Amino acid sequence: MQANDKPTWIWYPGDFEIWLGNIFNNRRTERGAMFPPFWKQDSHYVTVEFSKVFTLDRAETITVAAEGQFNFALDGKLQFPAKEYTIPTGKHKLNVKVWNQATPPALFVNGKTIKTDSTWLATYEDKLWIDENGVAHGSGIYVPAASWNFDAIDTPPSQFRLERKEQRPVSTTIPDGFPAGVLYDFGRETFGYLKVSGLKGTVRVYYGESREEALDRDHCETLDVLSGSAGDVLSGSADSVLSGCSGSGFTVAGSKAFRFVYIEKEDGASYDEVLMDYEYAPFDTQRSGSFRCSDDEINRIWDVAAYTMDLTTREFFMDGIKRDRWTWSGDAIQSYLMNYYLRFDAECVKRTIRQLRGKDPVTAHVNTIMDYTFYWFKSIHDYFEYTGDVAFVREMWPRMVTLMDYVEGRLNGQGMAEGQPDDWIFVDWVDFPMHKRGTLAFEQILLMKAMETMALCAELVGDGGGTAGGSGCRHGMATNAKKYGVRAAALREKIRGTFWSDERKAFFHAVEDGTLNRQITKFPNMFAILYGLAGEEERRDIMQGVMLNPDIPAITTPYMRFYELETLLLDGRHGQVLQEIRDYWGGMLREGATSFWEKYNPEESGAEHLAMYGRPYGKSLCHAWGASPIYLIGKYYLGVRPTKPGYEEFEVRPNLGDLEWITGDVPTPNGLIHVEMSRHEIKVRATAGRGTLYYDDQQLRIEPGRVAILQI
């Protein structure tokens, strides 16, 4: 660290994310009642020791702050409590123990050269002792401390908040048949905190992603009851305790998703004004993805998909902003990929991966869903591909190993993943009969990819020396890489031998009670293509016999449409996919969507589009997996993807589909890659990295800062 670098708050890796995730995941409510997640929630370590060795040319005074109570030891000798300490010339070891039951123990040290950063070590095991010479010894397990952008002494991690911006409703009406209330329309789906000024008496507040929901007082899924008198802090339901004055109004505590708010006054009640604080994760528009093309409808779809992603990108990547408001691994892996083509918020990716994994010991699958565990491994593979961040892989490696140990401990006698009584086998929300019991081909393909990820990451950690360093670690990682590579290859052969049909040219669905279920669905077949299980001839057979076969049950959720459309694009069907985007996502826009939904069925109409889970307004009208056009357009129309980790090298394979022209930017760790394409010419400019532009049988090198132009 250079002397002019800023210090940062540090903590035990993953603890901040686990603590913040517990707050995040427990914000969900249903009609005012809190609704916690149904999986295990871990806690942070309450005592953490931080340590680092420094060599000073001259004495230095440091300022020490902690979230929690702390003691400070210099070369093994405890120092009298103070805010500042003077460290003499020479080589010294600093040890700081922090205890905090409420929030993660965190440390901030600032001096001329001594500053807290990620090079400090941290341990939760108190095995330190001091010998008669005052020398500290210990056998605790130390790991690099975690840090983020908390780089001021007065902004500790526990004070992290998203940003807010005040907004006004775009219209105010008294609906027919509702004489006691007022309906406020904020113009589009939004997320934040309601603000009510000058309230006297009691009002009932009904929130709605749709007008119908806000006006349905009996079935509206989010509501508040507010009471107060002039100058008072308002009282409300458990989810609605007010946070106090904001200007001349009061802000309702507890963020909500809504477009419409219906406020009904009891006798004698009155108030002055209704506003909201829009809550959002900030991003840099100069370093964000963009897209425009010759089709205004596709442009509108891209814009709404981007807005959907921004609404669901918060402290973590969440699924839906009304329901569930939780982190789900299967949802998150798609959000990560969309994010790489929109905002490239690597910190939010890391926070979500850490939060989903939690702590050891492993007692259940991630979110209790077996396929979501497998996606969790794949998400680390994707993260490294797009960022090149080996340090994060090294941080997560021990938890990857213990999670894979759990997975392998539950395999059946054939070495395949099979749902146990305490597992949830998800695959997809489906409208057609699909058994989810036994040994599913789909699950084995995901497990194969997880094992391949383990082999890759073992090589990465080994090449970097691992957390402990040294040739022994590299040898151990090489052994792990070989072990997981062999297991992945063996599983690959088992999948092919068990589920592939030479007659049907497709992978069958499952083995149930020792009998092959010969049902054919798109799920295992498209993942066989996406994850490289199918060879070239098999890929062609699957495309014709399964993916393009109208007799195979259709996929109806945006969740699996993400993978289905990517499979079609890998087959070069860019024109077809554009039309499907127009039909599916454009269909939502024609129904009045201002963000994309959890699910869309074109055969439904009116209020049918709002219902799900047996509830008239159970569907989320802003759901992260609805934003997949961001990823599909960036990767397969602008055509940009890394070929070496972190975009050290990349390729651009633009495709117009049925469009006349396209232009856009893809964010990378080092800047933007700008692509323009018409029927006659392609232009590419990259801030950093070296790439290759491909079109038919032509190719052209892309050098940093120079425009590559290809006539076509």
Side-chain angles (χ1 to χ4, degrees):
M1 169 177 280
Q2 300 298 316
N4 59 352
D5 282 353
K6 287 185 176 182
T8 182
W9 285 90
I10 59 175
W11 56 87
Y12 192 86
D15 270 14
F16 172 67
E17 290 81 0
I18 288 169
W19 170 81
L20 186 62
N22 288 342
I23 297 172
F24 183 91
N25 281 327
N26 284 281
R27 289 175 180 161
R28 175 180 173 179
T29 64
E30 289 195 9
R31 292 189 67 83
M34 69 93 64
F35 196 108
F38 49 79
W39 52 81
K40 181 186 73 167
Q41 298 183 74
D42 294 316
S43 296
H44 61 269
Y45 295 120
V46 299
T47 302
V48 176
E49 180 180 358
F50 302 94
S51 178
K52 189 171 181 180
V53 174
F54 291 90
T55 301
L56 301 180
D57 294 333
R58 62 185 61 185
E60 182 172 326
T61 298
I62 61 173
T63 300
V64 179
E67 285 219 274
Q69 300 180 41
F70 75 93
N71 70 32
F72 178 85
L74 177 62
D75 299 326
K77 295 181 179 179
L78 286 178
Q79 307 297 303
F80 189 81
K83 292 183 179 180
E84 292 186 345
Y85 298 90
T86 298
I87 312 301
T89 302
K91 184 177 181 180
H92 302 285
K93 184 176 183 181
L94 280 61
N95 290 80
V96 184
K97 293 182 180 180
V98 183
W99 172 80
N100 192 335
Q101 193 76 32
T103 66
L107 177 67
F108 185 94
V109 175
N110 188 20
K112 185 176 181 180
T113 62
I114 300 176
K115 304 172 188 288
T116 41
D117 61 13
S118 60
T119 64
W120 285 60
L121 298 178
T123 182
Y124 62 89
E125 294 185 288
D126 185 9
K127 296 182 179 179
L128 184 72
W129 64 92
I130 302 169
D131 67 18
E132 65 277 9
N133 298 314
V135 177
H137 301 270
S139 58
I141 300 173
Y142 282 87
V143 299
S147 64
W148 188 33
N149 60 351
F150 303 103
D151 55 10
I153 196 169
D154 57 352
T155 59
S158 68
Q159 300 304 308
F160 172 70
R161 300 291 186 274
L162 297 178
E163 295 191 15
R164 298 187 187 186
K165 179 170 57 179
E166 188 175 83
Q167 293 187 355
R168 295 178 176 274
V170 299
S171 70
T172 302
T173 59
I174 299 176
D176 292 342
F178 296 84
V182 178
L183 181 68
Y184 299 89
D185 180 2
F186 285 85
R188 61 177 178 172
E189 178 87 352
T190 189
F191 187 91
Y193 300 82
L194 195 69
K195 300 172 70 174
V196 182
S197 64
L199 176 62
K200 297 178 182 179
T202 299
V203 297
R204 297 181 180 273
V205 182
Y206 303 90
Y207 303 84
E209 292 188 303
S210 63
R211 187 178 190 274
E212 293 89 338
E213 181 180 11
L215 293 177
D216 190 339
R217 291 163 291 186
D218 293 330
H219 300 99
C220 170
E221 301 213 342
T222 312
L223 68 158
D224 284 320
V225 179
L226 308 178
S227 298
S229 59
D232 289 343
V233 174
L234 305 183
S235 61
S237 62
D239 188 45
S240 315
V241 178
L242 301 208
S243 60
C245 186
S246 175
S248 61
F250 293 96
T251 303
V252 182
S255 52
K256 309 285 195 307
F258 56 89
R259 172 180 171 176
F260 297 90
V261 177
Y262 175 65
I263 300 183
E264 188 174 66
K265 296 180 287 187
E266 293 190 357
D267 290 343
S270 65
Y271 58 88
D272 296 331
E273 191 176 28
V274 173
L275 304 171
M276 73 163 296
D277 275 343
Y278 172 64
E279 185 184 60
Y280 63 98
F283 57 85
D284 184 353
T285 57
Q286 300 301 312
R287 297 179 60 86
S288 292
S290 65
F291 181 76
R292 278 296 176 267
C293 69
S294 56
D295 186 328
D296 288 340
E297 183 177 36
I298 296 294
N299 291 336
R300 175 64 175 153
I301 289 169
W302 196 95
D303 289 343
V304 174
Y307 183 61
T308 301
M309 268 303 298
D310 288 341
L311 284 174
T312 56
T313 302
R314 317 209 66 78
E315 297 94 330
F316 306 93
F317 289 106
M318 67 161 64
D319 58 342
I321 62 174
K322 181 179 77 170
R323 198 222 77 250
D324 299 328
R325 302 184 59 170
W326 292 341
T327 53
W328 294 93
S329 182
D331 304 54
I333 192 173
Q334 295 187 6
S335 292
Y336 306 151
L337 292 170
M338 300 170 205
N339 165 70
Y340 297 138
Y341 287 90
L342 183 62
R343 308 298 180 204
F344 212 100
D345 187 345
E347 292 297 335
C348 192
V349 175
K350 291 191 291 185
R351 289 198 302 272
T352 308
I353 289 173
R354 290 173 180 134
Q355 192 277 327
L356 284 165
R357 174 57 182 86
K359 291 183 177 292
D360 291 330
V362 182
T363 58
H365 281 295
V366 176
N367 304 127
T368 74
I369 302 176
M370 188 164 69
D371 24 318
Y372 280 26
T373 290
F374 303 153
Y375 286 132
W376 184 87
F377 288 103
K378 175 64 163 53
S379 71
I380 295 177
H381 174 279
D382 293 340
Y383 174 82
F384 175 71
E385 180 181 33
Y386 281 94
T387 68
D389 182 0
V390 179
F392 182 68
V393 177
R394 188 173 296 117
E395 174 195 329
M396 299 311 300
W397 175 252
R399 296 185 186 184
M400 294 175 69
V401 171
T402 50
L403 183 57
M404 183 56 75
D405 287 346
Y406 174 82
V407 168
E408 292 187 316
R410 295 166 71 88
L411 300 181
N412 64 20
Q414 289 71 49
M416 294 191 186
E418 185 172 340
Q420 302 298 316
D422 55 339
D423 294 335
W424 180 3
I425 308 301
F426 182 76
V427 184
D428 190 19
W429 291 134
V430 291
D431 295 328
F432 56 88
M434 185 188 75
H435 294 188
K436 296 184 181 181
R437 56 185 297 271
T439 307
L440 276 65
F442 168 84
E443 299 287 354
Q444 313 321 310
I445 296 170
L446 266 59
L447 173 59
M448 176 197 76
K449 193 64 177 179
M451 288 184 170
E452 290 175 351
T453 297
M454 290 294 293
L456 169 68
C457 292
E459 291 181 358
L460 292 174
V461 172
D463 288 342
T467 55
S471 59
C473 179
R474 288 193 291 273
H475 175 74
M477 292 302 103
T479 301
N480 280 326
K482 181 178 180 180
K483 175 181 70 175
Y484 291 117
V486 167
R487 292 177 183 177
L491 181 57
R492 175 181 290 264
E493 292 307 309
K494 287 180 182 178
I495 295 169
R496 297 179 60 82
T498 304
F499 300 104
W500 176 256
S501 169
D502 285 327
E503 177 185 357
R504 297 292 302 275
K505 304 298 182 184
F507 287 92
F508 286 134
H509 179 62
V511 173
E512 299 177 34
D513 301 323
T515 301
L516 185 64
N517 179 336
R518 301 173 68 86
Q519 180 185 16
I520 293 179
T521 66
K522 291 184 177 181
F523 304 111
N525 287 285
M526 64 188 183
F527 275 86
I529 292 174
L530 293 171
Y531 287 177
L533 177 62
E536 182 58 28
E537 183 177 349
E538 292 165 341
R539 184 191 64 80
R540 290 195 296 268
D541 290 335
I542 290 171
M543 290 303 303
Q544 293 301 318
V546 180
M547 303 308 298
L548 302 174
N549 186 347
D551 295 329
I552 300 298
I555 290 174
T556 61
T557 66
Y559 178 53
M560 277 292 150
R561 293 283 283 176
F562 179 98
Y563 299 110
E564 180 185 30
L565 295 183
E566 183 169 20
T567 305
L568 295 176
L569 288 167
L570 286 172
D571 198 50
R573 299 179 180 275
H574 292 70
Q576 176 184 341
V577 170
L578 276 176
Q579 190 54 49
E580 295 205 28
I581 289 174
R582 293 184 186 102
D583 292 342
Y584 196 84
W585 281 267
M588 283 187 260
L589 294 184
R590 289 186 286 276
E591 293 290 342
T594 59
S595 57
F596 287 129
W597 305 344
E598 183 175 12
K599 184 179 178 181
Y600 171 62
N601 183 349
E603 296 179 0
E604 295 175 341
S605 62
E608 289 180 311
H609 286 301
L610 310 176
M612 204 166 174
Y613 309 112
R615 308 198 305 268
Y617 311 106
K619 183 182 296 179
S620 290
L621 299 189
C622 176
H623 202 284
W625 68 36
S628 54
I630 295 293
Y631 170 70
L632 300 174
I633 287 172
K635 187 173 182 179
Y636 293 100
Y637 292 90
L638 294 176
V640 177
R641 75 173 186 90
T643 54
K644 283 190 176 181
Y647 283 94
E648 179 184 350
E649 293 187 9
F650 59 90
E651 69 174 27
V652 181
R653 296 179 183 269
N655 196 301
L656 290 175
D658 60 15
L659 301 169
E660 292 300 317
W661 57 267
I662 59 175
T663 182
D665 296 293
V666 171
T668 77
N670 303 306
L672 297 175
I673 298 174
H674 180 74
V675 180
E676 298 178 22
M677 183 180 186
S678 68
R679 293 290 178 184
H680 308 290
E681 185 179 68
I682 303 171
K683 294 182 180 180
V684 180
R685 185 183 187 278
T687 305
R690 287 176 166 78
T692 304
L693 170 62
Y694 295 93
Y695 183 77
D696 287 343
D697 58 351
Q698 301 181 71
Q699 64 182 60
L700 183 66
R701 290 293 293 169
I702 305 166
E703 299 296 334
R706 300 177 61 183
V707 179
I709 303 176
L710 186 65
Q711 303 298 324
I712 58 178

